[in-house]
Each structure stands twice: as structure tokens, then as C-alpha cells.
Amino acid sequence: MQPLIDNARTHGQRPEEFAPLAQGQSPQVLFITCSDSRVVPALITGARPGELFELRTAGNIVPPYASEHPTSEAATIEYAVEVLGVSDIVVCGHSHCGAVGALVRGDDLTAVPAVREWLTRTEPRPTGAVEDPCVAEGVQNHILAQVLRLRSYPFIDKKLSAGELTVHAWYYEVHTGSVLSHDTASDAFRAL
Ligand SMILES: [Zn+2]
């Protein structure tokens, strides 16, 4: 923890760099990814403060849209799309994902009931090669399922129909730093 505290202490030594951010934010991109510490959106994209609006959940799950009982995730997505007016949404899953791996393997999650309950929100359960430590197939299937879920949100469906929004499906390799993007024409993940 100490190195992080030391860095936080010196972070504000160039206040002129941050002063313009007081004017507000107008990010163009909502970046939805896993909470995994190996995935650092600003590092991957080179984004500066104010450029990426982020939603991070265990396993980058986009829960079902439920207007009567809105989730925190739905509120974050709605704010990004309806208030900030982002033009693009990236759903970025990653290799070696613990959450998706647990689903693919069918792990016993009795000891972590909150995690177990959260992961049930990703029906259908992702499938893929169980022996692959990257869980590449399972994660890529999972990413596409989250994109479909996102498309079921009414305000997103409306923006997509109007051509005002683009949704990207990315797969990030934590062990190489490479990003693959889903190509709809070939239905395959390819290098960006
Ligand atoms: Zn993960």
C-alpha cells in the first residue's frame, strides 16, 4: 500500500494539469470491463482524465435491464449514454478472468455467496475449453453475451437504431497486452 500512498501524495504537484477538468466532463467512450487489477483501461487506450467513463464489475457483467429495480450498473450506463452522450461503448473482457473461469468450470462458489449470486446474472452461462488457462473461448463468448444484453437496454437500442451509438467488443490479453476486437463480418476476434 505504501508506494500507492506515496504516489497519491505527489499526484497533485502539478495542479495546472488538472484545473481544466473543473469545467466538466465530456468523454466520448463508456468503457465496461472487469474489476481485475491487471486490466487498466487508461493504460490500454492511452486515455487522459476526462476521456473514458468507466464501469467495472466482477466479470464485466452487464446485468439485465429492470426498469422497476434499476441496478447500479444500469444507472451508470444510462448516465453515460443519456446525459454524457457517449458515442461509443467498449465491452472489454480479458484473458485469465477469474469470474468467467469460475463459470466455465462450474466452480463451487458457496464460500462467496455474493459473487455466486452476481455471476448468475450472466445467463446463459459462458462455455469454452475448461483446460485453457486464458479461458479465451469462454471469455469471448461471454463478451458477446454482454454486448447482446447491452443492446436490450431500451435507450441503447434506440440510439443504435438511430446510428448514434457504436458498441465494440474487445478481448484483452493480460499476459501480452494485446487487444483483439470482434469482427462481425467473420464473427471472430481479431487484432485491432
Ligand atoms: Zn475478470
Side-chain angles (χ1 to χ4, degrees):
M1 184 66 195
Q2 195 54 47
L4 305 181
I5 293 172
D6 292 342
N7 197 67
R9 262 194 199 119
T10 57
H11 187 62
Q13 289 180 347
R14 299 178 307 279
E16 64 283 357
E17 275 184 36
F18 301 101
L21 296 171
Q23 305 304 316
Q25 62 168 332
S26 54
Q28 293 181 2
V29 179
L30 165 62
F31 200 95
I32 301 174
T33 193
C34 184
S35 302
D36 194 294
S37 60
R38 296 166 293 183
V39 182
V40 185
L43 199 59
I44 296 168
T45 63
R48 300 287 302 154
E51 293 183 342
L52 278 188
F53 197 73
E54 293 183 28
L55 170 61
R56 305 194 67 155
T57 69
N60 48 269
I61 290 170
V62 176
Y65 184 78
S67 56
E68 291 182 10
H69 303 284
T71 59
S72 158
E73 293 75 24
T76 302
I77 296 166
E78 184 181 67
Y79 187 80
V81 172
E82 299 287 64
V83 178
L84 297 176
V86 297
S87 59
D88 295 79
I89 301 177
V90 176
V91 179
C92 182
H94 68 97
S95 69
H96 305 80
C97 183
V100 178
L103 285 167
V104 168
R105 292 185 300 269
D107 289 354
D108 178 5
L109 298 173
T110 308
V112 280
V115 174
R116 183 181 59 187
E117 170 59 23
W118 171 247
L119 296 185
T120 63
R121 302 191 187 191
T122 186
E123 295 295 331
R125 188 187 202 100
T127 56
V130 177
E131 66 282 1
D132 175 15
C134 293
V135 212
E137 186 186 3
V139 170
Q140 291 177 6
N141 288 335
H142 175 70
I143 295 164
L144 297 179
Q146 305 323 298
V147 168
L148 277 180
R149 179 65 68 63
L150 203 52
R151 288 173 178 271
S152 74
Y153 281 39
F155 57 90
I156 289 189
D157 179 51
K158 195 172 146 197
K159 292 260 184 183
L160 287 170
S161 300
E164 296 171 356
L165 190 64
T166 304
V167 178
H168 310 260
W170 284 13
Y171 171 71
Y172 177 66
E173 293 184 336
V174 299
H175 54 302
T176 67
S178 297
V179 178
L180 308 183
S181 178
H182 182 252
D183 172 49
T184 46
S186 59
D187 193 23
F189 280 81
R190 301 184 181 284
L192 269 179

